[in-house]
Amino acid sequence: MARSALTMTAAAFAATAALLLTACGGEDSSPDDIKGAGTGSPSTSESASPSAAPGVERPVIELPSTFQLTFEGWKSSDAKEQAVLDDAKEELRAGYAAIIANDPDSEAVAFYDTDSGRTQSKKWIKSYTDKNVTVIGKLPVFDPKVTLLDDGNTASLGYCTNESEAYTKHRKTGKVEGNPKDMDPEVYYLVTLRKSSQGVWQNASVRSERGECAK
């Protein structure tokens, strides 16, 4: 269910937010990986209240109750770090919402991605929509760590997900699948973000490594 299961190098700063099940077709991905959910009423999971670029109108993103995407510890006392966390969270929510809506061309995803990030995200979303599957279950996203670069317009964000209760569901047959039992459910993501001219932190790239979360 990982969004982008690419092998990370020690110097890898560029990353594309890895989302659930390995359906994205990366090295350690599998068709059962989840990133979004099927149908259902919108969940109470709210869009973040961005702390940066207050004059920018951000898209409203809703997820169905059938897919619970939760963010644990995504708070920082540093306003700049919080702005990165807010926009990165919304990009991830937008991606799963696009899978659920069967919409690879989601404008919400485009809003939170650079051109290169958008290409990567679309490929990830289509790894689900091309197979006519959506995502259901629960996906906690936790242990975020933000690093701001000296230029003030670039940041890296590392975080983990746990896919133990995340599944894919075929839209036509209703078949539900999860990761193999012998697969580590935790995935580490490393995301590179760049601040747009509007002050929005956009995903430029995402990399993931299964089983690399801190124990």
Side-chain angles (χ1 to χ4, degrees):
M1 188 176 216
R3 169 172 174 175
S4 178
L6 303 177
T7 301
M8 289 197 304
T9 64
F13 226 25
T16 53
L19 300 179
L20 285 170
L21 307 182
T22 54
C24 63
E27 276 181 35
D28 32 11
S29 311
S30 82
D32 299 325
D33 286 346
I34 300 177
K35 185 185 175 182
T39 57
S41 58
S43 70
T44 55
S45 176
E46 78 288 354
S47 289
S49 299
S51 56
V56 177
E57 184 176 352
R58 286 167 165 77
V60 175
I61 301 165
E62 294 184 339
L63 292 171
S65 58
T66 48
F67 182 67
Q68 299 176 35
L69 185 63
T70 60
F71 295 83
E72 303 170 10
W74 282 61
K75 294 293 182 181
S76 175
S77 58
D78 184 284
K80 292 181 180 179
E81 290 186 2
Q82 189 60 55
V84 173
L85 291 170
D86 287 344
D87 286 343
K89 177 168 69 172
E90 290 304 279
E91 196 276 347
L92 192 59
R93 294 180 71 251
Y96 280 111
I99 290 174
I100 294 167
N102 200 24
D103 180 18
D105 296 312
S106 165
E107 292 184 3
V109 174
F111 180 88
Y112 286 108
D113 281 352
T114 64
D115 288 344
S116 59
R118 178 68 189 113
T119 298
Q120 189 177 18
S121 291
K122 186 172 182 177
K123 182 178 180 181
W124 170 65
I125 295 167
K126 284 177 65 63
S127 70
Y128 290 88
T129 60
D130 285 355
K131 296 173 184 175
N132 203 24
V133 299
T134 184
V135 291
I136 59 173
K138 300 177 181 179
L139 184 67
V141 188
F142 57 96
D143 199 20
K145 291 180 175 60
V146 176
T147 300
L148 292 165
L149 275 64
D150 292 339
D151 65 5
N153 294 312
T154 307
S156 69
L157 168 65
Y159 64 84
C160 288
T161 64
N162 188 317
E163 302 174 351
S164 298
E165 298 182 73
Y167 310 91
T168 56
K169 181 178 180 180
H170 196 277
R171 297 178 188 276
K172 184 176 181 180
T173 67
K175 183 178 180 180
V176 175
E177 295 185 272
N179 288 337
K181 292 183 179 180
D182 60 349
M183 179 180 286
D184 193 318
E186 293 192 346
V187 181
Y188 175 74
Y189 292 98
L190 180 61
V191 184
T192 296
L193 303 99
R194 294 191 173 87
K195 186 187 287 188
S196 73
S197 59
Q198 293 181 306
V200 177
W201 285 97
Q202 297 178 314
N203 276 23
S205 65
V206 180
R207 291 181 183 270
S208 65
E209 185 76 7
R210 187 171 295 280
E212 288 302 309
C213 292
K215 303 298 182 184

